[in-house]
Amino acid sequence: SVTLGLTALGSDAVTASNTSANFSDKNVANGKTVTVNGIALAGADAANYVANTSTTTTANITPAAITNVTGIAANNKIYDATTVATLNTVAAGFTGLLAGDALTVAAATGAFADKNAANGKIVNISGITLGGADAGNYTLTNNTATATANITPAVLTVTYTGVNKVYDATATAAVTTTDNRLGADALTINRTASFADANAGIAKPVTVTGVSLAGADAGNYTVVT
């Protein structure tokens, strides 16, 4: 809308109205040109004046507010000893988006609440920024959101190496282990090892059974025996 000003003589009764006023385009900016058309005079003394039927002026268009971004999904992952979450923004929705405008999520960061394996874990989303053809016409008042996703246990592959011993009349054996645990994860590999028999021999087979995991990070792995 525009406010029309006019200068009438003395106390003459004259008012002005217009049929249309349009910015040069819809986009946010200061000092934008406004074209006013269909200017007409009214009032008891209108017939005593002639007015231009169009004019131009300037005005500002300020950004509209997007109050929330919804629909950002977090992807499930296999345990990797970090809280990093990857996001899918294809179905993002924007509270306050005006019909016909195009917005996308230009950037966002996801983080699980902790590193541990579990289903339905909270993912905190931060640093959301707007993209798309109309991003410049909006401000985002809340750049955070939440989602849920699963962290499934990683597969722990354990390699066993038999330990030589002096004959002791038993088939009990000892083994050392190496594995592919991540970083400094705290794991203990419980197992039972035995020779095929108690007799002395070279390169005797050792069988490992009863393998299980313990320790603070045991729940983040499944073990391959």
Side-chain angles (χ1 to χ4, degrees):
S1 64
V2 295
T3 301
L4 296 174
L6 54 83
T7 302
L9 299 174
S11 58
D12 280 359
V14 183
T15 60
S17 63
N18 66 286
T19 58
S20 67
N22 296 287
F23 286 97
S24 54
D25 60 53
K26 71 174 184 177
N27 298 317
V28 167
N30 292 333
K32 294 176 68 74
T33 297
V34 178
T35 301
V36 183
N37 290 309
I39 298 171
L41 300 179
D45 296 300
N48 298 322
Y49 296 88
V50 175
N52 54 302
T53 59
S54 64
T55 189
T56 60
T57 184
T58 60
N60 303 336
I61 300 179
T62 55
I66 297 296
T67 55
N68 283 293
V69 178
T70 60
I72 298 177
N75 298 320
N76 298 333
K77 74 171 185 176
I78 297 171
Y79 174 76
D80 63 4
T82 77
T83 60
V84 174
T86 60
L87 304 175
N88 185 332
T89 63
V90 172
F94 305 90
T95 304
L97 179 65
L98 298 171
D101 279 359
L103 288 180
T104 62
V105 174
T109 300
F112 285 95
D114 59 56
K115 71 173 185 174
N116 297 318
N119 291 334
K121 293 178 68 73
I122 294 294
V123 175
N124 295 307
I125 302 168
S126 61
I128 301 170
T129 60
L130 300 178
D134 294 297
N137 295 323
Y138 293 89
T139 56
L140 182 59
T141 60
N142 176 21
N143 70 346
T144 64
T146 59
T148 59
N150 303 335
I151 300 178
T152 56
V155 174
L156 187 74
T157 302
V158 183
T159 301
Y160 304 94
T161 302
V163 177
N164 297 332
K165 75 170 188 176
V166 176
Y167 172 75
D168 62 2
T170 75
T172 301
V175 293
T176 60
T177 63
T178 57
D179 59 67
N180 61 333
R181 75 184 67 188
L182 297 169
D185 277 0
L187 290 176
T188 300
I189 302 171
N190 298 318
R191 71 274 183 180
T192 300
S194 59
F195 289 100
D197 56 52
N199 300 321
I202 303 299
K204 293 175 67 71
V206 174
T207 301
V208 179
T209 58
V211 177
S212 64
L213 298 178
D217 292 298
N220 295 321
Y221 293 89
T222 57
V223 64
V224 174
T225 58

PDB file of all heavy atoms in Angstrom, residues 42-72:
ATOM      1  N   ALA A  42     -10.909  12.808  -5.490  1.00  0.00           N
ATOM      2  CA  ALA A  42     -12.293  12.786  -5.016  1.00  0.00           C
ATOM      3  C   ALA A  42     -12.473  13.925  -4.022  1.00  0.00           C
ATOM      4  O   ALA A  42     -11.505  14.568  -3.594  1.00  0.00           O
ATOM      5  CB  ALA A  42     -12.618  11.436  -4.389  1.00  0.00           C
ATOM      6  N   GLY A  43     -13.693  14.181  -3.672  1.00  0.00           N
ATOM      7  CA  GLY A  43     -13.998  15.247  -2.739  1.00  0.00           C
ATOM      8  C   GLY A  43     -14.761  16.374  -3.402  1.00  0.00           C
ATOM      9  O   GLY A  43     -14.847  16.491  -4.640  1.00  0.00           O
ATOM     10  N   ALA A  44     -15.310  17.250  -2.581  1.00  0.00           N
ATOM     11  CA  ALA A  44     -16.177  18.333  -3.073  1.00  0.00           C
ATOM     12  C   ALA A  44     -15.485  19.237  -4.075  1.00  0.00           C
ATOM     13  O   ALA A  44     -16.128  19.779  -4.992  1.00  0.00           O
ATOM     14  CB  ALA A  44     -16.695  19.152  -1.883  1.00  0.00           C
ATOM     15  N   ASP A  45     -14.194  19.401  -3.955  1.00  0.00           N
ATOM     16  CA  ASP A  45     -13.481  20.317  -4.842  1.00  0.00           C
ATOM     17  C   ASP A  45     -12.595  19.600  -5.849  1.00  0.00           C
ATOM     18  O   ASP A  45     -11.736  20.223  -6.486  1.00  0.00           O
ATOM     19  CB  ASP A  45     -12.627  21.284  -4.003  1.00  0.00           C
ATOM     20  CG  ASP A  45     -13.476  22.171  -3.119  1.00  0.00           C
ATOM     21  OD1 ASP A  45     -14.298  22.921  -3.678  1.00  0.00           O
ATOM     22  OD2 ASP A  45     -13.333  22.092  -1.881  1.00  0.00           O
ATOM     23  N   ALA A  46     -12.784  18.299  -6.043  1.00  0.00           N
ATOM     24  CA  ALA A  46     -11.929  17.539  -6.945  1.00  0.00           C
ATOM     25  C   ALA A  46     -11.966  18.061  -8.363  1.00  0.00           C
ATOM     26  O   ALA A  46     -10.953  18.034  -9.082  1.00  0.00           O
ATOM     27  CB  ALA A  46     -12.337  16.068  -6.912  1.00  0.00           C
ATOM     28  N   ALA A  47     -13.121  18.544  -8.792  1.00  0.00           N
ATOM     29  CA  ALA A  47     -13.245  19.012 -10.182  1.00  0.00           C
ATOM     30  C   ALA A  47     -12.392  20.242 -10.457  1.00  0.00           C
ATOM     31  O   ALA A  47     -12.161  20.601 -11.626  1.00  0.00           O
ATOM     32  CB  ALA A  47     -14.710  19.290 -10.506  1.00  0.00           C
ATOM     33  N   ASN A  48     -11.908  20.881  -9.433  1.00  0.00           N
ATOM     34  CA  ASN A  48     -11.088  22.080  -9.603  1.00  0.00           C
ATOM     35  C   ASN A  48      -9.602  21.774  -9.791  1.00  0.00           C
ATOM     36  O   ASN A  48      -8.791  22.693  -9.908  1.00  0.00           O
ATOM     37  CB  ASN A  48     -11.264  23.011  -8.398  1.00  0.00           C
ATOM     38  CG  ASN A  48     -12.684  23.496  -8.248  1.00  0.00           C
ATOM     39  OD1 ASN A  48     -13.353  23.779  -9.256  1.00  0.00           O
ATOM     40  ND2 ASN A  48     -13.156  23.600  -6.997  1.00  0.00           N
ATOM     41  N   TYR A  49      -9.243  20.462  -9.830  1.00  0.00           N
ATOM     42  CA  TYR A  49      -7.835  20.076  -9.903  1.00  0.00           C
ATOM     43  C   TYR A  49      -7.629  18.989 -10.957  1.00  0.00           C
ATOM     44  O   TYR A  49      -8.545  18.222 -11.269  1.00  0.00           O
ATOM     45  CB  TYR A  49      -7.346  19.550  -8.550  1.00  0.00           C
ATOM     46  CG  TYR A  49      -7.356  20.581  -7.448  1.00  0.00           C
ATOM     47  CD1 TYR A  49      -8.497  20.787  -6.669  1.00  0.00           C
ATOM     48  CD2 TYR A  49      -6.230  21.353  -7.202  1.00  0.00           C
ATOM     49  CE1 TYR A  49      -8.507  21.754  -5.666  1.00  0.00           C
ATOM     50  CE2 TYR A  49      -6.231  22.311  -6.193  1.00  0.00           C
ATOM     51  CZ  TYR A  49      -7.356  22.509  -5.431  1.00  0.00           C
ATOM     52  OH  TYR A  49      -7.358  23.461  -4.442  1.00  0.00           O
ATOM     53  N   VAL A  50      -6.419  18.974 -11.479  1.00  0.00           N
ATOM     54  CA  VAL A  50      -5.990  17.901 -12.371  1.00  0.00           C
ATOM     55  C   VAL A  50      -4.756  17.249 -11.742  1.00  0.00           C
ATOM     56  O   VAL A  50      -3.811  17.953 -11.365  1.00  0.00           O
ATOM     57  CB  VAL A  50      -5.648  18.418 -13.777  1.00  0.00           C
ATOM     58  CG1 VAL A  50      -5.101  17.294 -14.642  1.00  0.00           C
ATOM     59  CG2 VAL A  50      -6.871  19.028 -14.425  1.00  0.00           C
ATOM     60  N   ALA A  51      -4.772  15.930 -11.627  1.00  0.00           N
ATOM     61  CA  ALA A  51      -3.651  15.212 -11.014  1.00  0.00           C
ATOM     62  C   ALA A  51      -3.040  14.243 -12.007  1.00  0.00           C
ATOM     63  O   ALA A  51      -3.719  13.763 -12.921  1.00  0.00           O
ATOM     64  CB  ALA A  51      -4.112  14.457  -9.775  1.00  0.00           C
ATOM     65  N   ASN A  52      -1.761  13.978 -11.830  1.00  0.00           N
ATOM     66  CA  ASN A  52      -1.133  12.906 -12.603  1.00  0.00           C
ATOM     67  C   ASN A  52      -1.759  11.576 -12.225  1.00  0.00           C
ATOM     68  O   ASN A  52      -2.150  11.364 -11.068  1.00  0.00           O
ATOM     69  CB  ASN A  52       0.373  12.878 -12.352  1.00  0.00           C
ATOM     70  CG  ASN A  52       0.709  12.781 -10.878  1.00  0.00           C
ATOM     71  OD1 ASN A  52       0.303  13.643 -10.100  1.00  0.00           O
ATOM     72  ND2 ASN A  52       1.466  11.756 -10.489  1.00  0.00           N
ATOM     73  N   THR A  53      -1.868  10.673 -13.195  1.00  0.00           N
ATOM     74  CA  THR A  53      -2.516   9.374 -12.919  1.00  0.00           C
ATOM     75  C   THR A  53      -1.533   8.305 -12.456  1.00  0.00           C
ATOM     76  O   THR A  53      -1.943   7.215 -12.050  1.00  0.00           O
ATOM     77  CB  THR A  53      -3.248   8.865 -14.170  1.00  0.00           C
ATOM     78  OG1 THR A  53      -2.307   8.738 -15.236  1.00  0.00           O
ATOM     79  CG2 THR A  53      -4.366   9.828 -14.554  1.00  0.00           C
ATOM     80  N   SER A  54      -0.233   8.576 -12.532  1.00  0.00           N
ATOM     81  CA  SER A  54       0.762   7.606 -12.065  1.00  0.00           C
ATOM     82  C   SER A  54       1.964   8.342 -11.512  1.00  0.00           C
ATOM     83  O   SER A  54       2.191   9.523 -11.812  1.00  0.00           O
ATOM     84  CB  SER A  54       1.193   6.674 -13.195  1.00  0.00           C
ATOM     85  OG  SER A  54       1.843   7.401 -14.215  1.00  0.00           O
ATOM     86  N   THR A  55       2.732   7.628 -10.703  1.00  0.00           N
ATOM     87  CA  THR A  55       3.955   8.195 -10.143  1.00  0.00           C
ATOM     88  C   THR A  55       4.826   7.052  -9.657  1.00  0.00           C
ATOM     89  O   THR A  55       4.428   5.883  -9.696  1.00  0.00           O
ATOM     90  CB  THR A  55       3.647   9.172  -8.994  1.00  0.00           C
ATOM     91  OG1 THR A  55       4.850   9.862  -8.620  1.00  0.00           O
ATOM     92  CG2 THR A  55       3.097   8.429  -7.768  1.00  0.00           C
ATOM     93  N   THR A  56       6.025   7.376  -9.220  1.00  0.00           N
ATOM     94  CA  THR A  56       6.894   6.385  -8.587  1.00  0.00           C
ATOM     95  C   THR A  56       7.375   6.907  -7.247  1.00  0.00           C
ATOM     96  O   THR A  56       7.447   8.109  -7.014  1.00  0.00           O
ATOM     97  CB  THR A  56       8.121   6.039  -9.457  1.00  0.00           C
ATOM     98  OG1 THR A  56       8.886   7.231  -9.679  1.00  0.00           O
ATOM     99  CG2 THR A  56       7.693   5.434 -10.786  1.00  0.00           C
ATOM    100  N   THR A  57       7.693   5.964  -6.363  1.00  0.00           N
ATOM    101  CA  THR A  57       8.270   6.300  -5.073  1.00  0.00           C
ATOM    102  C   THR A  57       9.198   5.158  -4.678  1.00  0.00           C
ATOM    103  O   THR A  57       9.488   4.281  -5.502  1.00  0.00           O
ATOM    104  CB  THR A  57       7.165   6.523  -4.020  1.00  0.00           C
ATOM    105  OG1 THR A  57       7.761   6.952  -2.790  1.00  0.00           O
ATOM    106  CG2 THR A  57       6.363   5.250  -3.774  1.00  0.00           C
ATOM    107  N   THR A  58       9.688   5.148  -3.474  1.00  0.00           N
ATOM    108  CA  THR A  58      10.540   4.047  -2.997  1.00  0.00           C
ATOM    109  C   THR A  58      10.054   3.562  -1.638  1.00  0.00           C
ATOM    110  O   THR A  58       9.440   4.318  -0.873  1.00  0.00           O
ATOM    111  CB  THR A  58      12.024   4.456  -2.878  1.00  0.00           C
ATOM    112  OG1 THR A  58      12.137   5.547  -1.952  1.00  0.00           O
ATOM    113  CG2 THR A  58      12.592   4.853  -4.233  1.00  0.00           C
ATOM    114  N   ALA A  59      10.336   2.302  -1.343  1.00  0.00           N
ATOM    115  CA  ALA A  59      10.013   1.707  -0.050  1.00  0.00           C
ATOM    116  C   ALA A  59      10.877   0.464   0.133  1.00  0.00           C
ATOM    117  O   ALA A  59      11.561   0.023  -0.804  1.00  0.00           O
ATOM    118  CB  ALA A  59       8.527   1.351   0.024  1.00  0.00           C
ATOM    119  N   ASN A  60      10.869  -0.076   1.329  1.00  0.00           N
ATOM    120  CA  ASN A  60      11.682  -1.247   1.664  1.00  0.00           C
ATOM    121  C   ASN A  60      10.827  -2.508   1.740  1.00  0.00           C
ATOM    122  O   ASN A  60       9.664  -2.463   2.148  1.00  0.00           O
ATOM    123  CB  ASN A  60      12.379  -1.066   3.009  1.00  0.00           C
ATOM    124  CG  ASN A  60      13.256   0.171   3.046  1.00  0.00           C
ATOM    125  OD1 ASN A  60      13.707   0.662   2.015  1.00  0.00           O
ATOM    126  ND2 ASN A  60      13.491   0.687   4.249  1.00  0.00           N
ATOM    127  N   ILE A  61      11.400  -3.652   1.349  1.00  0.00           N
ATOM    128  CA  ILE A  61      10.818  -4.960   1.659  1.00  0.00           C
ATOM    129  C   ILE A  61      11.789  -5.659   2.609  1.00  0.00           C
ATOM    130  O   ILE A  61      12.954  -5.881   2.260  1.00  0.00           O
ATOM    131  CB  ILE A  61      10.620  -5.834   0.408  1.00  0.00           C
ATOM    132  CG1 ILE A  61       9.677  -5.148  -0.591  1.00  0.00           C
ATOM    133  CG2 ILE A  61      10.047  -7.195   0.798  1.00  0.00           C
ATOM    134  CD1 ILE A  61       9.463  -5.956  -1.870  1.00  0.00           C
ATOM    135  N   THR A  62      11.328  -5.945   3.812  1.00  0.00           N
ATOM    136  CA  THR A  62      12.178  -6.617   4.802  1.00  0.00           C
ATOM    137  C   THR A  62      11.868  -8.112   4.815  1.00  0.00           C
ATOM    138  O   THR A  62      10.778  -8.541   4.434  1.00  0.00           O
ATOM    139  CB  THR A  62      11.957  -6.034   6.205  1.00  0.00           C
ATOM    140  OG1 THR A  62      10.561  -6.110   6.530  1.00  0.00           O
ATOM    141  CG2 THR A  62      12.402  -4.584   6.258  1.00  0.00           C
ATOM    142  N   PRO A  63      12.824  -8.957   5.265  1.00  0.00           N
ATOM    143  CA  PRO A  63      12.635 -10.412   5.209  1.00  0.00           C
ATOM    144  C   PRO A  63      11.487 -10.890   6.089  1.00  0.00           C
ATOM    145  O   PRO A  63      11.239 -10.356   7.179  1.00  0.00           O
ATOM    146  CB  PRO A  63      13.973 -10.966   5.710  1.00  0.00           C
ATOM    147  CG  PRO A  63      14.959  -9.867   5.474  1.00  0.00           C
ATOM    148  CD  PRO A  63      14.192  -8.599   5.698  1.00  0.00           C
ATOM    149  N   ALA A  64      10.799 -11.930   5.631  1.00  0.00           N
ATOM    150  CA  ALA A  64       9.808 -12.637   6.442  1.00  0.00           C
ATOM    151  C   ALA A  64      10.535 -13.667   7.317  1.00  0.00           C
ATOM    152  O   ALA A  64      11.680 -14.035   7.040  1.00  0.00           O
ATOM    153  CB  ALA A  64       8.782 -13.332   5.544  1.00  0.00           C
ATOM    154  N   ALA A  65       9.858 -14.111   8.352  1.00  0.00           N
ATOM    155  CA  ALA A  65      10.484 -15.031   9.320  1.00  0.00           C
ATOM    156  C   ALA A  65      10.101 -16.485   9.041  1.00  0.00           C
ATOM    157  O   ALA A  65       8.930 -16.804   8.832  1.00  0.00           O
ATOM    158  CB  ALA A  65      10.080 -14.662  10.734  1.00  0.00           C
ATOM    159  N   ILE A  66      11.107 -17.355   9.017  1.00  0.00           N
ATOM    160  CA  ILE A  66      10.903 -18.803   9.101  1.00  0.00           C
ATOM    161  C   ILE A  66      11.160 -19.178  10.552  1.00  0.00           C
ATOM    162  O   ILE A  66      12.286 -19.039  11.053  1.00  0.00           O
ATOM    163  CB  ILE A  66      11.864 -19.565   8.163  1.00  0.00           C
ATOM    164  CG1 ILE A  66      11.597 -19.207   6.707  1.00  0.00           C
ATOM    165  CG2 ILE A  66      11.729 -21.070   8.393  1.00  0.00           C
ATOM    166  CD1 ILE A  66      10.249 -19.609   6.186  1.00  0.00           C
ATOM    167  N   THR A  67      10.126 -19.641  11.245  1.00  0.00           N
ATOM    168  CA  THR A  67      10.265 -19.874  12.682  1.00  0.00           C
ATOM    169  C   THR A  67      10.833 -21.246  13.025  1.00  0.00           C
ATOM    170  O   THR A  67      11.433 -21.420  14.085  1.00  0.00           O
ATOM    171  CB  THR A  67       8.910 -19.708  13.387  1.00  0.00           C
ATOM    172  OG1 THR A  67       7.936 -20.564  12.768  1.00  0.00           O
ATOM    173  CG2 THR A  67       8.429 -18.265  13.284  1.00  0.00           C
ATOM    174  N   ASN A  68      10.649 -22.223  12.132  1.00  0.00           N
ATOM    175  CA  ASN A  68      11.184 -23.564  12.377  1.00  0.00           C
ATOM    176  C   ASN A  68      11.422 -24.276  11.060  1.00  0.00           C
ATOM    177  O   ASN A  68      10.711 -24.039  10.076  1.00  0.00           O
ATOM    178  CB  ASN A  68      10.219 -24.413  13.217  1.00  0.00           C
ATOM    179  CG  ASN A  68      10.238 -24.053  14.681  1.00  0.00           C
ATOM    180  OD1 ASN A  68      11.239 -24.267  15.369  1.00  0.00           O
ATOM    181  ND2 ASN A  68       9.146 -23.499  15.166  1.00  0.00           N
ATOM    182  N   VAL A  69      12.422 -25.158  11.055  1.00  0.00           N
ATOM    183  CA  VAL A  69      12.639 -26.068   9.935  1.00  0.00           C
ATOM    184  C   VAL A  69      12.296 -27.467  10.439  1.00  0.00           C
ATOM    185  O   VAL A  69      12.818 -27.928  11.450  1.00  0.00           O
ATOM    186  CB  VAL A  69      14.090 -26.020   9.433  1.00  0.00           C
ATOM    187  CG1 VAL A  69      14.289 -27.013   8.289  1.00  0.00           C
ATOM    188  CG2 VAL A  69      14.437 -24.607   8.965  1.00  0.00           C
ATOM    189  N   THR A  70      11.393 -28.124   9.739  1.00  0.00           N
ATOM    190  CA  THR A  70      10.934 -29.452  10.134  1.00  0.00           C
ATOM    191  C   THR A  70      11.331 -30.469   9.070  1.00  0.00           C
ATOM    192  O   THR A  70      11.750 -30.113   7.971  1.00  0.00           O
ATOM    193  CB  THR A  70       9.406 -29.463  10.303  1.00  0.00           C
ATOM    194  OG1 THR A  70       8.789 -29.111   9.053  1.00  0.00           O
ATOM    195  CG2 THR A  70       8.967 -28.464  11.371  1.00  0.00           C
ATOM    196  N   GLY A  71      11.180 -31.738   9.409  1.00  0.00           N
ATOM    197  CA  GLY A  71      11.341 -32.797   8.417  1.00  0.00           C
ATOM    198  C   GLY A  71      12.765 -33.188   8.078  1.00  0.00           C
ATOM    199  O   GLY A  71      12.981 -34.003   7.176  1.00  0.00           O
ATOM    200  N   ILE A  72      13.766 -32.651   8.779  1.00  0.00           N
ATOM    201  CA  ILE A  72      15.136 -33.109   8.547  1.00  0.00           C
ATOM    202  C   ILE A  72      15.299 -34.482   9.206  1.00  0.00           C
ATOM    203  O   ILE A  72      14.994 -34.650  10.388  1.00  0.00           O
ATOM    204  CB  ILE A  72      16.171 -32.125   9.119  1.00  0.00           C
ATOM    205  CG1 ILE A  72      16.052 -30.764   8.433  1.00  0.00           C
ATOM    206  CG2 ILE A  72      17.592 -32.668   8.940  1.00  0.00           C
ATOM    207  CD1 ILE A  72      17.000 -29.710   8.986  1.00  0.00           C
TER     208      ILE A  72
END
